[in-house]
Amino acid sequence: MKAILITGGAGFIGSHVVRLFVNKYPQTKIINYDKLTYAGNLSNLKDIEGHQNYVFVKGDILDAKKIRSTLEEYKVDGIIHLAAESHVDRSIRDPFAFAKTNVLGTLTLLQEAKDFWGCSLANAAQSSKKYRFYHISTDEVYGSLDFDGSLFKETDRYEPHSPYSASKASSDHFVRAYHDTFGLPVVLTNCSNNYGPYQFPEKLIPLMINNIEHNKPLPVYGKGINVRDWLYVEDHAKAIDLVFHKGTVGQTYNIGGFNEWRNIDIVKLIIRIVDRELGRAEGASDKLITYVADRAGHDLRYAIDSSKLQKELGWRPETTFTQGIEKTIKWYLSNKEWIDNITKGAYKRYYKSMYANRK
Ligand code: NAD
Ligand code: DAU
């Protein structure tokens, strides 16, 4: 590929994907197309912003004209689509924002890519040799699992429960429809919970690290028994690289860490490490744990079967949870400027509106 457009490249996962591609493929132009919502932050990419093969375009995925002019200007032949509204709690407050960006934004991008590349069923075989549209999705589209050891498979039926997961499910269907109807050469992945540097501190792990450091209550939803399958973000970025280059057109691959944790256990683990790093007595911050009202429609358990990706493309997570969580906590504690810049202003208002009356 000569020019790859990465949408949402200023966000958490997107910035890791941009960094990996800019460094690994110096002959390929990497275009970071991002609207810079509250979640987009160009300081996530300071280390690569001067690279010759990197360019940033401020744009909305709902802006068809801007997408088209960007595709034309850089002769884009690959798209990795990560731009989205990504936080479940926000989707409960404002479902329409999620339908607009995640559904209509994805549809706009699909339409522009199809037209720009001239895709049709008649030329699908040629298109699939030249172009690639890669849609990044989530395990949440599959719904929720019981505590029975079962795992989400690519063939599971979709059963989203939150406005966020419903919007992602809808976008997945549009992506497949553009493959089946217009011959657009698509690949999709559905990944489990990511963690690591540059994650916006509205999400569980960075929120807890920041609150422990500042001796603020640690809001645990419900009983804290919900289970998530955690994957270090750089391992996700490597899987994206692999699927983008080697994945079979039309296929979906699940990505996960085989790493299930109950929320309360993660919170206790983070407390132990942060207290140690800050030189506090063991368990000093346990008293900060505060059980609060549960998330509406809270999915009980996610767990991913990523054996298809492992068998077909040879991917495996490289970072153990012990290594990954240590690295992540140390990163947040030593990047105070990054976190302080985010947590002032709008974040304070968001935090108050989300947690102040959450009994
Ligand atoms: P994020 O919220 O950190 O970043 C989203 C990025 O998209 C931001 O840079 C934002 O500015 C940009 N954006 C939002 N609306 C836009 C628009 N209309 N036009 C252009 N840019 C826009 O999200 P993330 O956690 O990095 O997730 C990235 C993708 O991966 C999402 O599609 C998400 O559904 C998916 N995903 C995330 C996880 C996870 O654990 N975080 C797991 C599986 C899948
Ligand atoms: O599974 C993949 C998904 O993971 C992605 O598609 C989403 O974009 C991403 O946000 C994430 O969704 P979750 O809802 O699982 O992540 P979050 O960090 O918001 O919450 C993780 C768990 O922690 C969940 O069970 C809710 C709980 N939680 C979260 C917050 C923010 C708390 O108990 N307290 C909190 O303050």
Side-chain angles (χ1 to χ4, degrees):
M1 298 270 160
K2 295 187 191 75
I4 302 172
L5 182 96
I6 301 181
T7 71
F12 166 48
I13 302 171
S15 62
H16 287 274
V17 176
V18 166
R19 178 175 296 101
L20 176 67
F21 276 64
V22 165
N23 287 325
K24 191 169 170 187
Y25 303 107
Q27 304 306 325
T28 302
K29 193 88 175 171
I30 304 300
I31 304 110
N32 173 9
Y33 186 94
D34 198 298
K35 184 182 171 184
L36 298 183
T37 66
Y38 77 94
N41 186 349
L42 287 179
S43 70
N44 296 0
L45 289 163
K46 270 205 174 118
D47 53 324
I48 57 102
E49 67 189 1
H51 284 46
Q52 283 209 326
N53 64 333
Y54 171 72
V55 56
F56 172 68
V57 176
K58 186 168 188 300
D60 192 328
I61 53 167
L62 283 151
D63 184 344
K65 271 196 188 149
K66 181 96 183 185
I67 294 170
R68 177 56 87 96
S69 65
T70 309
L71 296 178
E72 282 171 356
E73 180 174 355
Y74 297 101
K75 300 187 177 59
V76 168
D77 47 9
I79 295 176
I80 304 179
H81 175 38
L82 295 112
E85 288 294 339
S86 69
H87 192 39
V88 174
D89 293 326
R90 288 185 193 254
S91 82
I92 296 167
R93 288 280 168 89
D94 184 7
F96 285 85
F98 284 69
K100 281 181 197 146
T101 293
N102 299 359
V103 185
L104 292 178
T106 301
L107 182 54
T108 307
L109 197 60
L110 287 164
Q111 180 74 5
E112 291 311 312
K114 167 186 88 68
D115 288 349
F116 177 61
W117 292 334
C119 293
S120 69
L121 279 180
N123 65 16
Q126 292 103 295
S127 294
S128 71
K129 288 192 193 115
K130 293 200 281 194
Y131 309 120
R132 190 72 83 247
F133 187 107
Y134 181 175
H135 178 62
I136 307 297
S137 192
T138 171
D139 59 357
E140 301 199 12
V141 298
Y142 299 121
S144 180
L145 299 167
D146 286 330
F147 296 129
D148 57 3
S150 56
L151 301 171
F152 292 134
K153 296 196 174 38
E154 289 85 354
T155 47
D156 283 2
R157 70 180 279 238
Y158 274 28
E159 207 179 323
H161 297 126
S162 73
Y164 163 70
S165 51
S167 69
K168 291 297 288 186
S170 171
S171 66
D172 292 10
H173 292 318
F174 272 109
V175 172
R176 290 196 191 96
Y178 267 63
H179 172 259
D180 297 347
T181 310
F182 303 115
L184 191 75
V186 308
V187 283
L188 300 91
T189 49
N190 294 77
C191 188
S192 62
N193 286 64
N194 284 218
Y195 71 99
Y198 302 112
Q199 186 167 32
F200 195 86
E202 64 190 347
K203 307 282 167 65
L204 181 75
I205 289 182
L207 185 138
M208 293 297 163
I209 298 170
N210 190 46
N211 283 15
I212 297 166
E213 188 184 5
H214 294 99
N215 282 306
K216 284 167 62 181
L218 308 178
V220 175
Y221 297 170
K223 294 185 176 137
I225 56 166
N226 303 65
V227 168
R228 297 291 182 265
D229 175 358
W230 295 93
L231 178 68
Y232 191 61
V233 62
E234 287 179 6
D235 281 329
H236 188 189
K238 286 178 192 164
I240 290 173
D241 179 23
L242 193 63
V243 172
F244 182 73
H245 289 100
K246 303 260 167 61
T248 304
V249 166
Q251 288 292 310
T252 295
Y253 301 87
N254 279 350
I255 308 175
F258 290 112
N259 178 40
E260 293 180 48
W261 284 78
R262 295 192 316 167
N263 293 337
I264 186 63
D265 297 331
I266 292 245
V267 171
K268 286 182 178 163
L269 176 68
I270 298 173
I271 289 176
R272 233 185 34 239
I273 301 173
V274 174
D275 279 348
R276 186 198 69 207
E277 287 297 306
L278 296 178
R280 296 178 186 163
E282 195 177 331
S285 303
D286 285 349
K287 58 179 184 301
L288 298 175
I289 293 176
T290 309
Y291 291 93
V292 298
D294 209 351
R295 174 184 278 174
H298 198 175
D299 289 330
L300 188 61
R301 175 174 163 261
Y302 303 146
I304 275 271
D305 179 351
S306 55
S307 56
K308 176 175 172 183
L309 183 60
Q310 302 197 4
K311 276 190 208 126
E312 289 187 19
L313 302 183
W315 175 84
R316 337 202 97 259
E318 290 167 22
T319 312
T320 65
F321 192 62
T322 312
Q323 294 164 337
I325 197 72
E326 288 272 348
K327 267 204 266 186
T328 301
I329 290 172
K330 284 179 185 149
W331 187 88
Y332 283 96
L333 295 180
S334 56
N335 282 275
K336 288 194 193 311
E337 202 186 330
W338 184 90
I339 192 105
D340 289 348
N341 281 340
I342 287 177
T343 51
K344 59 189 184 207
Y347 179 81
K348 276 198 177 138
R349 288 194 292 282
Y350 162 80
Y351 196 88
K352 205 169 160 206
S353 77
M354 197 59 76
Y355 294 103
N357 298 314
R358 193 166 190 138
K359 295 279 175 336

